[in-house]
Amino acid sequence: MRRLLVSVCARGLGARVSARPAAGLCDPRRGYASDAPRNQPLSSEFVARSVGVCSMMRLPVQASPEGLDAAFIGVPLDIGTSNRPGARFGPRRIREESVLLRTVNPSTGALPFQSLMVADLGDVNVNLYNLQDSCRLIRETYQKIVEAGCIPLTLGGDHTITYPILQAIAKKHGPVGLLHVDAHTDTADKGLGEKLYHGTPFRRCVEEGLLDCKRVVQIGIRGSSMTLDPYRYNRSQGFRVVLAEDCWMKSLVPLMGEVRQQMGGKPIYISFDIDALDPAYAPGTGTPEIAGLTPSQALEIIRGCQGLSVVGCDLVEVSPLYDLSGNTALLAANLLFEMLCVLPKVTTV
């Protein structure tokens, strides 16, 4: 029977739609492993891509992180945005494009769904009229996720959301290393007099001791500025800032070798702003900057995290209003899959 059993649960992290495979879908010919009790994305060979609940990679949607090794979760918030709006619709659009993704990564040999129990936890119920309250709701939700031993992979949402996520992550792991891929450093102090918006999350994280600043690397930084030394604050904190022009026309595999050595075996968080990529590849974002990274360089960065102690990831700033082809969201979905593939317990062959 090619259908999904759908139920609504108002417990755990909040109201969620729970999609579980119906009887008969555990047949391996239909995309589910018969020898291991783990969730598997549906196979388009047997279930049409246009069928079913819109979840990340068509995974089951559940209300609680209990029993999960990793989970996708959306944070549909964009009231911290300084330019183009629309990132609140990013999680939904990324899920729609993720229908094209499959279960294994033949380029790296990663078998994420044979290694981990993964599901989609739905969205954080943010407050679109209050940024501070939204940050509280995000922080409380992520505390439940990480306390359950589940690694969150976040669909954003503007970059403000990384601040409360890191509050929850650091509460469990202590100060973490950060691989931050972005066109902007996001370490401003204020915007229009406000201390909290998508240009300030990492300064707030530094002030609260959430980051191990000697293990912070920012890659893809570029664009015009109001000063001739816009990276002084970052470097004074111990961050390594890798400008986009230092990445032009070259492989980033050697750089990631250095990053792995710098990060060591301690916990690391990956925060990937889609505007790190050149707007020719990812036009659907709030603050595009010319001359950015390429998709292949993005893959080299994420795949270069293999073997690190990754405790969480996010992909932020997808604004579908400026993404008429859907390519930005498709790229975002693929990058989130690549992040899943480098989590610590994922088997590679």
Side-chain angles (χ1 to χ4, degrees):
M1 183 180 298
R2 300 176 187 177
R3 65 187 178 88
L4 296 177
L5 297 181
V6 181
S7 64
V8 177
C9 177
R11 297 176 298 178
L13 296 177
R16 298 287 189 269
V17 176
S18 179
R20 297 184 178 279
L25 285 183
C26 289
D27 187 319
R29 295 172 300 170
R30 301 191 175 187
Y32 283 85
S34 60
D35 57 349
R38 295 191 180 96
N39 296 331
Q40 297 284 322
L42 294 170
S43 169
S44 61
E45 184 178 359
F46 301 102
V47 181
R49 286 194 168 101
S50 57
V51 171
V53 174
C54 185
S55 66
M56 186 65 181
M57 296 186 67
R58 298 201 293 174
L59 285 162
V61 181
Q62 66 182 62
S64 169
E66 296 297 330
L68 297 178
D69 299 301
F72 295 103
I73 181 168
V75 185
L77 182 74
D78 65 359
I79 58 174
T81 303
S82 60
N83 189 37
R84 297 173 174 175
R88 70 182 64 181
F89 303 114
R92 183 174 300 177
R93 194 71 178 96
I94 293 169
R95 287 184 174 108
E96 290 174 356
E97 294 297 334
S98 74
V99 72
L100 289 171
L101 294 170
R102 301 169 183 88
T103 59
V104 302
N105 192 330
S107 297
T108 65
L111 304 171
F113 300 104
Q114 286 74 22
S115 311
L116 307 174
M117 178 64 88
V118 188
D120 188 324
L121 290 177
D123 292 329
V124 178
N125 186 21
V126 294
N127 182 348
L128 290 178
Y129 307 121
N130 188 316
L131 188 55
Q132 293 281 357
D133 189 48
S134 286
C135 286
R136 176 188 64 81
L137 292 165
I138 295 166
R139 180 178 65 253
E140 292 175 356
T141 298
Y142 277 76
Q143 285 174 349
K144 295 176 183 178
I145 294 172
V146 298
E147 287 169 2
C150 177
I151 297 176
L153 298 104
T154 301
L155 292 64
D158 75 53
H159 222 151
T160 312
I161 70 174
T162 305
Y163 166 53
I165 292 172
L166 282 172
Q167 286 180 314
I169 293 284
K171 184 175 181 180
K172 177 174 181 178
H173 297 284
V176 296
L178 174 69
L179 177 62
H180 173 209
V181 190
D182 202 325
H184 313 97
T185 63
D186 293 350
T187 51
D189 186 30
K190 293 180 181 180
L192 301 178
E194 298 296 326
K195 303 277 281 187
L196 188 60
Y197 78 108
H198 74 165
T200 65
F202 298 114
R203 184 174 287 230
R204 303 288 85 85
C205 288
V206 169
E207 292 170 349
E208 294 186 18
L210 309 179
L211 299 177
D212 180 354
C213 292
K214 299 301 182 183
R215 294 192 305 120
V216 174
V217 179
Q218 298 180 303
I219 302 175
I221 308 301
R222 63 190 189 278
S224 56
S225 175
M226 300 301 292
T227 70
L228 288 175
D229 189 10
Y231 316 121
R232 178 184 300 174
Y233 171 82
N234 304 61
R235 289 172 172 149
S236 73
Q237 300 303 313
F239 295 8
R240 179 177 181 178
V241 180
V242 181
L243 303 181
E245 47 259 50
D246 295 327
C247 302
W248 290 347
M249 309 301 290
K250 67 177 67 172
S251 168
L252 300 187
V253 171
L255 169 64
M256 290 310 298
E258 297 173 4
V259 170
R260 283 198 303 276
Q261 185 175 14
Q262 181 177 351
M263 295 299 176
K266 297 179 181 179
I268 172 180
Y269 185 87
I270 302 172
S271 186
F272 201 116
D273 188 323
I274 201 68
D275 72 21
L277 297 169
D278 191 274
Y281 305 108
T285 191
T287 316
E289 302 282 359
I290 67 165
L293 304 178
T294 67
S296 58
Q297 288 176 317
L299 293 182
E300 288 178 327
I301 291 170
I302 296 174
R303 292 175 181 178
C305 294
Q306 179 69 44
L308 295 178
S309 180
V310 179
V311 295
C313 314
D314 65 49
L315 190 294
V316 299
E317 298 286 357
V318 172
S319 181
L321 301 178
Y322 300 90
D323 187 33
L324 299 182
S325 68
N327 285 348
T328 307
L330 176 63
L331 181 52
N334 275 272
L335 295 181
L336 283 159
F337 172 68
E338 293 284 341
M339 292 177 192
L340 176 67
C341 289
V342 300
L343 295 186
K345 295 181 180 179
V346 172
T347 299
T348 58
V349 294

